[in-house]
Amino acid sequence: MIQFYAPDIETTLTLPESDSQHCVRVLRRSEGDVIVAIDGRGKRFTCRIIEAHAKRARVEIIGTEYLHPFWQGKIAIAVAPTKHLDRMEWLTEKLTEIGVDRITPLLCRHSERRDIKQSRLEKIAVSAMKQSLKAVCPEVDDMTPFMQFVEENRQTAQKFIAWCDDSHPRRLLSQALQPGLDAVVAIGPEGDFSPEEVDAAMAVGFIPVSLGNARLRTETAALVACDTFHIVGQLAGTDSAKPS
Amino acid sequence: MIQFYAPDIETTLTLPESDSQHCVRVLRRSEGDVIVAIDGRGKRFTCRIIEAHAKRARVEIIGTEYLHPFWQGKIAIAVAPTKHLDRMEWLTEKLTEIGVDRITPLLCRHSERRDIKQSRLEKIAVSAMKQSLKAVCPEVDDMTPFMQFVEENRQTAQKFIAWCDDSHPRRLLSQALQPGLDAVVAIGPEGDFSPEEVDAAMAVGFIPVSLGNARLRTETAALVACDTFHIVGQLAGTDSAKPS
């Protein structure tokens, strides 16, 4: 099944240019054909093509489906981008496939990479969303200084910080989280969070956690953290248990 | 911490050539220095260098640590390699980091890729094992025809087959597995398993499972399946709960 991505389809009844082109030029869909489009915010539309325009394909909506979120709350993964951009791009694809609401690239004291290409990560997220038949596209933030990220999450229901220093006692994320509530997990750079960063986070209620007994690369840790929510959610029955 | 990989260190008291070179030439370790080596089968050795030979560094073992496996049983992931080899290489790295005992590349009816470079995948696994401070290196099989794989797993305690066709009722893997027992999960190619393959697997006791409500790429599905064992193991207390 092919899903077109049309964030404003409900109001404009039109596919954006790139998806119009893909639909009409590449896939040769024409007037009267039925297609599926998603708005990236949880709705999937069944549409009939009214005008097979290669830049602004017009449709009528013949069915609307609200896709239940995979988790009752929102999942945000904040991660210090890796030195090699391809690992961050890979992570964006995988997080989107598995299911995430927000990806925040963190600028930390020990960050090896201090800039990202936000638009490129957004593009990868859209592509992964279409591929995985999801209807939710994660919000991809621009690079965010760690202290700003901490401030912005003062009110988040549950917040975790995973870091490698084993001088502090930590619980396993899988055992510390409460299924269904909004959650954010911060994953540090290869050089780990600084003690000041950990203190600042803990001061506003971040809970220090471990992801298990392996030393994971940054991007692997971010992926495992996100997957932990889904698995625990499945076991608690708050994740969608309907296989599809 | 740097870990050297020396499968036979307990009997030879010598590092293999590549690790000798890395130890002596690159890291400039010399007689009397203390290093750490793993045998890839669960043991970690603290060693003192006796002779800093750049091809056959000789050591004495001054401490042996048996690293408890992350899961009481063995975890095997059998997966039809993706068309693009880099995705399979990436998967090998990530599975090793998270923890897996065996990786079996499957040759299926709808396989898009019919050959792999076994030695290259083995090399990636060794490198990921060292990086993640694990002491267990997964066995990487050569390409294995699906029917042969099914036969070889007749006796495996629990066996699962994940596929995309939602015409069959399936349980979630997270809810179907029993923590701690040997387990194998088969993940099909992009074109999915054929009905004959599914039937053959089910005939010897493979249980059809789903990994959740997203359509995951082959390599993502394999990774999520492996991670599911660890998360469920953590919650059941059979996975090592000691953060490190």
Side-chain angles (χ1 to χ4, degrees):
Chain A
M1 184 168 85
I2 287 161
Q3 289 190 155
F4 297 97
Y5 177 45
D8 303 318
I9 193 165
E10 219 171 356
T11 48
T12 64
L13 298 175
T14 306
L15 295 183
E17 183 167 341
S18 63
D19 283 64
S20 292
Q21 192 170 12
H22 187 217
C23 178
V24 175
R25 281 270 156 75
V26 182
L27 302 171
R28 306 204 164 273
R29 300 293 160 88
S30 54
E31 275 82 359
D33 284 355
V34 171
I35 61 168
V36 171
I38 45 179
D39 69 356
R41 292 185 300 281
K43 281 188 191 163
R44 183 187 285 158
F45 303 93
T46 308
C47 308
R48 186 178 291 119
I49 300 175
I50 300 295
E51 187 194 354
H53 193 291
K55 288 190 172 173
R56 294 174 299 280
R58 287 200 306 119
V59 302
E60 62 171 342
I61 293 174
I62 56 179
T64 303
E65 190 186 356
Y66 183 76
L67 300 182
H68 290 289
F70 41 82
W71 174 269
Q72 298 300 318
K74 302 279 185 194
I75 300 175
I77 301 291
V79 55
T82 50
K83 193 168 166 188
H84 296 287
L85 259 189
D86 58 343
R87 289 181 176 267
M88 190 65 192
E89 293 176 0
W90 165 88
L91 173 63
T92 302
E93 175 184 295
K94 296 308 170 207
L95 287 176
T96 307
E97 274 184 70
I98 293 175
V100 70
D101 293 281
R102 187 170 182 174
I103 301 171
T104 306
L106 289 180
L107 182 59
C108 300
R109 175 138 181 230
H110 298 148
S111 282
E112 286 193 281
R113 163 166 291 279
R114 309 190 80 79
D115 51 32
I116 51 148
K117 292 176 190 155
Q118 186 187 10
S119 63
R120 186 164 158 77
L121 295 184
E122 282 171 337
K123 212 168 159 184
I124 288 169
V126 167
S127 165
M129 170 189 63
K130 289 177 172 183
Q131 150 86 21
S132 66
L133 302 185
K134 285 203 171 300
V136 174
C137 191
E139 192 178 337
V140 180
D141 292 322
D142 205 352
M143 201 68 139
T144 306
F146 183 78
M147 294 303 181
Q148 177 188 328
F149 157 78
V150 165
E151 274 309 311
E152 286 173 358
N153 277 284
R154 271 186 182 271
Q155 305 304 325
T156 304
Q158 46 184 349
K159 25 194 189 281
F160 303 100
I161 182 167
W163 89 109
C164 300
D165 178 3
D166 55 4
S167 60
H168 291 63
R170 290 161 299 159
R171 296 179 66 191
L172 281 164
L173 175 62
S174 58
Q175 294 175 357
L177 66 85
Q178 286 184 58
L181 297 182
D182 286 355
V184 62
V185 185
I187 308 285
E190 298 285 339
D192 217 342
F193 289 116
S194 72
E196 295 74 25
E197 287 169 337
V198 174
D199 288 348
M202 287 177 69
V204 302
F206 275 77
I207 298 168
V209 289
S210 152
L211 298 169
N213 62 356
R215 185 177 69 170
L216 304 174
R217 282 173 183 273
T218 300
E219 76 277 10
T220 319
L223 191 73
V224 164
C226 184
D227 196 38
T228 301
F229 285 94
H230 292 287
I231 305 293
V232 173
Q234 287 174 0
L235 294 171
T238 61
D239 208 359
S240 170
K242 188 187 160 289
S244 67
Chain B
M1 183 168 84
I2 287 161
Q3 290 190 155
F4 297 97
Y5 178 45
D8 303 318
I9 193 164
E10 217 171 357
T11 47
T12 64
L13 297 175
T14 306
L15 295 184
E17 183 167 339
S18 63
D19 283 66
S20 292
Q21 192 170 12
H22 186 216
C23 177
V24 175
R25 280 270 154 76
V26 182
L27 301 172
R28 306 205 163 272
R29 300 294 159 87
S30 54
E31 273 83 358
D33 284 353
V34 171
I35 61 168
V36 172
I38 45 181
D39 69 357
R41 292 184 300 280
K43 280 187 191 164
R44 183 187 285 158
F45 304 93
T46 308
C47 309
R48 186 177 292 118
I49 300 175
I50 300 295
E51 187 194 354
H53 192 290
K55 289 189 172 175
R56 294 173 300 279
R58 287 200 305 119
V59 302
E60 63 172 340
I61 292 174
I62 56 179
T64 303
E65 189 185 355
Y66 184 76
L67 300 181
H68 290 289
F70 42 83
W71 174 268
Q72 298 301 317
K74 301 279 185 195
I75 300 175
I77 300 292
V79 56
T82 49
K83 193 169 166 187
H84 296 287
L85 259 188
D86 58 344
R87 289 181 176 267
M88 190 66 192
E89 293 176 1
W90 165 90
L91 173 64
T92 303
E93 176 185 295
K94 295 308 169 207
L95 287 175
T96 306
E97 274 184 70
I98 293 175
V100 70
D101 293 281
R102 187 170 181 174
I103 301 172
T104 306
L106 290 180
L107 181 59
C108 299
R109 175 135 180 232
H110 299 150
S111 282
E112 286 192 281
R113 164 165 290 280
R114 308 190 80 79
D115 50 32
I116 52 150
K117 292 176 189 156
Q118 185 186 11
S119 62
R120 183 161 161 80
L121 295 184
E122 282 171 337
K123 212 168 159 183
I124 288 169
V126 167
S127 165
M129 170 189 64
K130 289 177 172 181
Q131 150 85 22
S132 66
L133 301 185
K134 285 203 170 302
V136 174
C137 191
E139 192 178 338
V140 180
D141 292 322
D142 205 351
M143 200 67 136
T144 307
F146 184 78
M147 295 302 180
Q148 177 187 327
F149 157 79
V150 164
E151 274 308 311
E152 287 173 359
N153 276 283
R154 273 187 180 271
Q155 306 303 325
T156 305
Q158 47 184 349
K159 27 194 187 280
F160 303 100
I161 181 166
W163 88 109
C164 300
D165 178 3
D166 56 4
S167 61
H168 291 63
R170 291 160 300 158
R171 297 179 66 191
L172 281 164
L173 175 62
S174 58
Q175 295 175 356
L177 65 84
Q178 287 185 58
L181 297 182
D182 286 355
V184 62
V185 185
I187 308 285
E190 297 285 340
D192 216 342
F193 289 116
S194 71
E196 295 73 27
E197 286 168 339
V198 174
D199 288 349
M202 287 177 68
V204 302
F206 275 77
I207 298 167
V209 288
S210 152
L211 298 170
N213 61 356
R215 185 178 69 171
L216 304 174
R217 282 174 182 271
T218 299
E219 76 277 10
T220 318
L223 191 73
V224 164
C226 184
D227 196 37
T228 300
F229 285 95
H230 291 287
I231 305 292
V232 174
Q234 287 174 359
L235 294 170
T238 61
D239 208 1
S240 169
K242 187 186 161 290
S244 67

